[in-house]
Amino acid sequence: MAQEAAPQQIQRVEITGSSIKRVAKEGALPVQVLTYDAIEKAGITDTEQLLRTISASGTGADNMTSGNNVFGADADRVSGGASFASLRGLGPNATLVLLNGRRVGNHGASGKAVDLNSIPLGAIQRVEILKDGASAIYGTDAIGGVVNFILRTDYKGLELSTTLNGTEHGGGMNRRVSALGGLGDLQKDGWNIMVSATHDNNDKLSSKQRDFANGFQPSRGLSPDTTGTPFANILTGAGTALGTGFKMPGDATTYLQAGLLSLQGKCDSIPGMSQYQSDLWKDVTAVTRSKYSCAYDYGADYVISFPVERTNAVSRGTLKINDDHKVFFEVLGSRTEATASLTPVQISTSLANGNAYPVNGPYYQDLSQYIPTYDKTKPIIYKWRSTPWGDRTQNNVTENFRVLLAAEGQIMGKWDYKLGLSRAESTTKTALIDGYGYTDKIYAALGTGKINPWLAPGQSQTAEAMQLIESTKYIGAFQHGKTTMTQFDGSVSGEIFQLPTGAVSMAAGFDLRKETYDFGQDVDATKILLSPGNAALSGASRDVRAFYAEMLVPVMKDLEVQLAVRRDDYSVIGATTNPKVSFRYQPTSNLVLRGSANKGFLAPSFTQLYAGRLSQELPNGIIDQEGCAKNPGNPLFCAIPRLNYNTGGNPNLKPETSKQGTLGIVVEPVRGFSASLDFWAINIQDRILNRTPQVVLANWQYLPEYIIRNSAGVIDHVEAGWINAAGLKTRGADLGLQADGKYDGYKWVAKLDGTYMKSFKFAEFEGQPFKENVGIFNSRDIYLRWKHNASISVAKGDWSALFTQNFSTGYNDQVPNGGKGTPPAGFVPRVKHYEKYDLSGTYTGYKNTTITVGILNLFDKTPPFTAHNVDEVVGAGWDPRVADARGRSLSVNLKYKFM
């Protein structure tokens, strides 16, 4: 990490985790450093890929593929096209992303954290990951840790590069062009201006382009749990063709749903459809609804990665006032356009909504030859995946802008200072471009009978029907969000007095911020069928005043202790003071012992506090466990026909608080080999989580205040959404190994960065016992026992090569049928481990030219099979949180430097 120094002068540098400059060495806190050269040679073209190589990074749903999802309470429905960091798997809110040690603005739509797409990867010099959280220097909200992107400075010259990355199996082509230029020499001319611009264009990759994306593998415990099919299944209901239920000849069971293709044994005649596997889901979906119905593998229609265009630009100008003072400005801008898509809308028609299929319709379906009680004089209600409307497609455009004016230098020759004033803005605009329509118009169109929900193979809708469908669609601006952050910060550091054991150094600083968030709808979303997004939240703002101090004390010649304290005062939450203490002990030249202990504080986000409350309905058959036990057989308690619930923000939320620490050792037993082992532990209280009404109802004994009853004890509605959960406890260790040497003119370097997670225990609500989550399927984050990134590089003359392995252990899979009964014989309860190998070679023999050719996923490793329900996690038969779906790809990078 040491920067270049003047001859015979020891350069002091600032290392992530401290504001005190010192001679670069292994510090008291575990910091992982990645250089841009290593990132480029690894074929990494975006920040999301980079974070996947960090073993301390969580294995969760904060990537772009998983983010394109509408399932689960914690799914962020307004972050299409965004990607977030989540160290230790604690969530984006708990990971602080910095640029040159300063904060940047949060994503414009979700407002929860920094969108990694806004980081100008092509302009960075290195990335420093502080794996010890709750930084008293940058913010005690960094409970998971800090990712600090350090930009290049004082660059002179012009550099152009281009990268192509194409997959062997098609789809997902990535292209990049970038330019880096600089004028002026800071030391000779007293000034320098640097400009960097990068443009990325990533093509769509569909599940249909990968054989492993297959949600119909019933012998292995996986099949679609949905009867919303492109060839509609018919529902029961009073006054409809199937009536309130039907019986089949010789069978006394009353069934509630049927489909013509199922009755004919021809479900698979329509691509993506299959006979519903009732035995596999008998305790999740009633057999009376599924035995004579088809299912649809919509997970295999999912988009693995959607089209993305991304442009990043950064400019930095530096003016040297004299040897002690310099001022500089930074201008950062980015634009990301992502076209996200979901499968077509699923519709369940009803007489009440006026969208039943009429008796006189030209496509009326008569099932009387199969079902004796079928009444063809009555209209049909049905469940249908409305493919003629097309995929639900959204265009998300996010623009980020940040300007910084700063000064730094020395006062009186011994005090280092920094001052900065910045303004950051992020805006996101979402437009609906296909697949969505006005609810009333869609229902009215279906009620005409002109649209055929039972298209046979090879058939298509009539021109009149398609014209009618198009007339129902809404295409245009849908929603928008904006975040801003105005920041004024400064610090001073230096030596304050001498002890016999060395100089005592200190630093003190302030961080004053004003943050705002605004989210609104461009159209009344309640009128659009199954529209995405959140309720409006207008004009939320808060002021944050933070002051911190840090002291480095050489207690003994070989022992230094770092003391820090930070006080944050939030205008809407209140004030908190959090200390941090760390030590570094080096009894011998080849041994360092280090450790830290600290407290953290994470304030609720604007969305968590103030998001508008949305009122919705749960489907039929919900059970009030408490009320049903007291009133057995009473449908008001045991089979609630319709139950209202509210979701959204909670102004009564408390902040999350943490206590955490690390204890580590660094050894260098022989020259050319070093190893580090750092144990870490984090305890969090009042964890802020979004919870569904089903979860609230299932935990009625812990959350009675969220279940609102009338005077008769009947549930009136459920208050769901953001609440304070009990907390979590996590423990683990980070292992770092590095060796280097020379042999016969070759220079080689071998590295390993690994994380062992011993425990991740979570209690949903106060009063519940903590439950272990390591190595177990989870619908949001999977806490893997072990992850590592290992590499070996070899160089000689103009040639160099890099071989990399990314490895993660397996875990216990989700059990079919809600974990009840006996899974099929082919079900394997363990998801296999996953490893991916990359190989690249670089040649610099041509003047001013660097050529890098890499094969990513060298052995074309496919994702391990998982039988998880696609209704809860994206990926049919595979999981994007763990594995790479692109398969083997060829990456070519060409760089030319103009001298």
Side-chain angles (χ1 to χ4, degrees):
M1 290 182 290
Q3 299 173 356
E4 293 185 4
Q8 298 180 350
Q9 180 182 359
I10 298 177
Q11 178 72 31
R12 295 190 306 159
V13 298
E14 185 177 315
I15 300 171
T16 299
S18 173
S19 288
I20 299 174
K21 288 188 176 183
R22 68 195 79 176
V23 177
K25 59 183 178 180
E26 196 72 49
L29 303 177
V31 178
Q32 181 181 353
V33 181
L34 301 172
T35 65
Y36 181 74
D37 181 64
I39 294 170
E40 193 172 49
K41 287 181 178 179
I44 295 170
T45 57
D46 62 59
T47 317
E48 179 178 300
Q49 295 176 21
L50 174 65
L51 265 294
R52 280 180 175 264
T53 68
I54 307 300
S55 66
S57 187
T59 308
D62 297 300
N63 57 79
M64 293 180 70
T65 300
S66 297
N68 184 28
N69 188 8
V70 295
F71 300 113
D74 294 312
D76 188 348
R77 304 184 183 204
V78 295
S79 64
S83 178
F84 304 98
S86 176
L87 293 178
R88 306 293 184 209
L90 298 177
N93 297 43
T95 298
L96 190 56
V97 176
L98 306 175
L99 191 65
N100 287 343
R102 287 185 166 94
R103 293 177 181 248
V104 290
N106 288 344
H107 182 247
S110 70
K112 65 180 181 182
V114 175
D115 178 12
L116 296 176
N117 290 308
S118 67
I119 301 298
L121 194 61
I124 68 167
Q125 182 181 46
R126 66 185 185 274
V127 184
E128 297 179 354
I129 299 97
L130 175 62
K131 298 180 181 182
D132 176 60
S135 169
I137 307 304
Y138 307 111
T140 48
D141 52 347
I143 293 175
V146 178
V147 182
N148 191 8
F149 294 89
I150 311 297
L151 291 177
R152 301 187 194 189
T153 58
D154 197 18
Y155 181 84
K156 185 177 181 181
L158 177 62
E159 174 182 306
L160 302 178
S161 69
T162 182
T163 302
L164 292 175
N165 186 307
T167 63
E168 179 179 337
H169 303 292
M173 166 72 82
N174 296 338
R175 295 171 291 274
R176 158 177 282 195
V177 292
S178 63
L180 174 65
L183 294 174
D185 186 299
L186 196 60
Q187 299 303 320
K188 295 179 181 180
D189 306 322
W191 61 274
N192 175 262
I193 295 178
M194 181 201 75
V195 178
S196 171
T198 303
H199 181 76
D200 296 275
N201 195 317
N202 299 342
D203 290 347
K204 176 181 176 180
L205 175 59
S206 172
S207 292
K208 295 179 180 179
Q209 296 173 286
R210 295 295 182 266
D211 292 339
F212 56 77
N214 176 9
F216 184 70
Q217 302 182 58
S219 64
R220 305 173 77 178
L222 174 62
S223 73
D225 179 27
T226 177
T227 56
T229 51
F231 190 99
N233 288 301
I234 297 178
L235 307 175
T236 53
T240 69
L242 272 183
T244 56
F246 64 93
K247 292 181 172 63
M248 299 298 285
D251 187 347
T253 305
T254 299
Y255 293 97
L256 303 174
Q257 190 169 307
L260 175 62
L261 294 182
S262 176
L263 294 168
Q264 295 175 338
K266 296 180 179 179
C267 285
D268 57 2
S269 64
I270 304 292
M273 285 177 48
S274 59
Q275 174 60 45
Y276 189 95
Q277 304 297 295
S278 298
D279 290 342
L280 192 60
W281 298 107
K282 60 185 177 182
D283 294 302
V284 174
T285 299
V287 174
T288 54
R289 292 189 178 276
S290 64
K291 184 174 182 178
Y292 295 107
S293 297
C294 297
Y296 170 53
D297 185 12
Y298 70 92
D301 273 349
Y302 209 82
V303 175
I304 293 176
S305 58
F306 39 79
V308 177
E309 263 196 87
R310 181 172 49 243
T311 302
N312 285 299
V314 61
S315 176
R316 179 185 174 104
T318 307
L319 177 64
K320 182 178 178 182
I321 305 299
N322 53 42
D323 289 340
D324 292 329
H325 305 282
K326 63 180 178 181
V327 295
F328 61 91
F329 73 87
E330 286 177 4
V331 179
L332 169 69
S334 69
R335 184 182 190 274
T336 301
E337 181 173 359
T339 305
S341 62
L342 300 169
T343 51
V345 165
Q346 178 178 278
I347 299 174
S348 292
T349 65
S350 68
L351 294 179
N353 287 330
N355 51 11
Y357 196 84
V359 174
N360 60 352
Y363 312 111
Y364 188 90
Q365 197 168 83
D366 183 4
L367 302 185
S368 57
Q369 62 175 308
Y370 304 98
I371 301 173
T373 58
Y374 193 86
D375 188 351
K376 59 184 178 181
T377 67
K378 298 289 195 303
I380 301 170
I381 60 173
Y382 54 89
K383 182 181 287 188
W384 184 40
R385 180 71 61 170
S386 56
T387 52
W389 265 265
D391 289 345
R392 288 168 284 174
T393 309
Q394 309 165 28
N395 181 259
N396 300 286
V397 177
T398 298
E399 295 179 341
N400 294 278
F401 178 77
R402 175 177 177 262
V403 60
L404 165 71
L405 179 63
E408 60 183 42
Q410 283 193 338
I411 303 173
M412 297 181 291
K414 64 176 183 178
W415 292 96
D416 297 305
Y417 75 90
K418 293 194 306 182
L419 282 173
L421 177 64
S422 64
R423 168 79 174 185
E425 295 184 1
S426 177
T427 61
T428 298
K429 296 180 180 179
T430 298
L432 305 183
I433 58 179
D434 200 15
Y436 292 97
Y438 291 102
T439 303
D440 58 350
K441 290 184 178 181
I442 291 175
Y443 286 178
L446 294 175
T448 66
K450 296 178 180 179
I451 298 169
N452 185 1
W454 300 287
L455 288 176
Q459 289 184 334
S460 58
Q461 300 289 341
T462 65
E464 182 184 15
M466 289 306 300
Q467 186 176 5
L468 183 59
I469 288 170
E470 291 298 319
S471 71
T472 70
K473 290 184 178 180
Y474 175 76
I475 296 176
F478 177 65
Q479 61 191 15
H480 58 272
K482 180 178 181 180
T483 64
T484 69
M485 182 183 69
T486 303
Q487 181 180 29
F488 180 46
D489 67 272
S491 67
V492 61
S493 66
E495 298 177 357
I496 51 177
F497 59 84
Q498 289 284 333
L499 292 176
T501 52
V504 175
S505 302
M506 64 80 64
F510 64 90
D511 178 7
L512 309 179
R513 305 192 308 274
K514 184 177 183 62
E515 302 170 348
T516 70
Y517 177 61
D518 187 273
F519 185 83
Q521 304 287 350
D522 299 299
V523 64
D524 186 352
T526 63
K527 295 183 178 181
I528 296 175
L529 185 61
L530 293 182
S531 62
N534 295 340
L537 171 56
S538 178
S541 67
R542 67 184 179 195
D543 296 320
V544 184
R545 298 187 298 272
F547 301 90
Y548 61 88
E550 177 187 4
M551 182 174 291
L552 188 65
V553 181
V555 179
M556 300 188 302
K557 182 180 180 181
D558 300 319
L559 173 65
E560 63 181 31
V561 174
Q562 181 181 344
L563 305 172
V565 63
R566 182 183 181 96
R567 182 172 176 82
D568 294 273
D569 190 347
Y570 287 78
S571 59
V572 296
I573 297 295
T576 176
T577 301
N578 295 282
K580 181 165 189 167
V581 59
S582 58
F583 74 91
R584 180 186 184 277
Y585 177 53
Q586 187 172 5
T588 66
S589 61
N590 56 1
L591 174 65
V592 173
L593 301 176
R594 62 188 179 189
S596 68
N598 42 280
K599 294 175 65 178
F601 173 93
L602 177 60
S605 70
F606 289 121
T607 299
Q608 293 167 345
L609 286 169
Y610 304 126
R613 303 293 287 177
L614 292 177
S615 296
Q616 300 172 73
E617 257 187 5
L618 285 170
N620 291 332
I622 294 298
I623 299 174
D624 171 9
Q625 294 185 37
E626 181 183 15
C628 188
K630 297 176 181 177
N631 304 274
N634 187 337
L636 291 176
F637 300 93
C638 303
I640 304 173
R642 292 287 176 184
L643 181 61
N644 294 323
Y645 70 94
N646 298 325
T647 60
N650 180 357
N652 297 317
L653 287 174
K654 296 181 290 185
E656 295 182 13
T657 58
S658 70
K659 294 180 180 179
Q660 53 201 105
T662 64
L663 184 63
I665 181 173
V666 184
V667 296
E668 189 177 5
V670 295
R671 183 182 179 125
F673 174 76
S674 63
S676 64
L677 181 64
D678 291 278
F679 297 91
W680 47 268
I682 304 171
N683 291 352
I684 298 178
Q685 288 185 315
D686 296 319
R687 187 114 164 96
I688 300 172
L689 294 173
N690 202 0
R691 283 298 170 252
T692 65
Q694 291 91 334
V695 170
V696 174
L697 287 167
N699 294 274
W700 57 271
Q701 65 271 52
Y702 303 105
L703 299 171
E705 69 271 27
Y706 295 101
I707 302 174
I708 312 304
R709 300 178 182 273
N710 61 23
S711 57
V714 176
I715 297 178
D716 179 78
H717 68 278
V718 175
E719 290 290 343
W722 295 103
I723 64 174
N724 284 108
L728 64 84
K729 302 175 182 179
T730 182
R731 308 283 187 271
D734 295 322
L735 175 66
L737 303 174
Q738 178 166 330
D740 60 78
K742 296 180 180 179
Y743 178 77
D744 195 24
Y746 291 91
K747 296 180 180 179
W748 61 272
V749 178
K751 296 181 180 180
L752 183 141
D753 162 45
T755 295
Y756 174 82
M757 185 169 284
K758 182 180 185 296
S759 177
F760 194 105
K761 292 183 178 180
F762 177 67
E764 186 85 45
F765 306 112
E766 194 67 42
Q768 286 185 333
F770 281 81
K771 179 182 177 181
E772 184 60 72
N773 285 272
V774 172
I776 300 172
F777 172 86
N778 191 291
S779 61
R780 186 66 191 171
D781 288 85
I782 300 177
Y783 305 100
L784 300 178
R785 183 69 68 187
W786 172 260
K787 293 170 61 178
H788 76 242
N789 175 273
S791 66
I792 182 168
S793 62
V794 180
K796 183 178 183 180
D798 297 326
W799 291 92
S800 64
L802 176 67
F803 184 61
T804 303
Q805 180 204 44
N806 284 282
F807 177 90
S808 58
T809 55
Y811 55 94
N812 293 340
D813 203 0
Q814 184 182 38
V815 181
N817 193 29
K820 301 175 182 178
T822 303
F827 173 71
V828 178
R830 185 80 178 169
V831 178
K832 294 181 180 179
H833 69 273
Y834 178 73
E835 78 275 349
K836 183 172 75 76
Y837 296 89
D838 303 327
L839 176 66
S840 70
T842 301
Y843 179 67
T844 58
Y846 298 114
K847 184 178 180 182
N848 303 332
T849 303
T850 302
I851 303 172
T852 299
V853 178
I855 302 177
L856 308 184
N857 200 346
L858 179 64
F859 302 112
D860 200 22
K861 181 74 172 181
T862 58
F865 174 79
T866 166
H868 72 253
N869 190 340
V870 73
D871 272 2
E872 297 177 355
V873 173
V874 172
W878 74 288
D879 197 322
R881 298 173 296 176
V882 175
D884 175 21
R886 301 182 77 243
R888 183 159 47 215
S889 65
L890 177 67
S891 175
V892 179
N893 174 262
L894 176 64
K895 182 191 299 182
Y896 185 81
K897 293 183 178 181
F898 297 85
M899 302 302 290

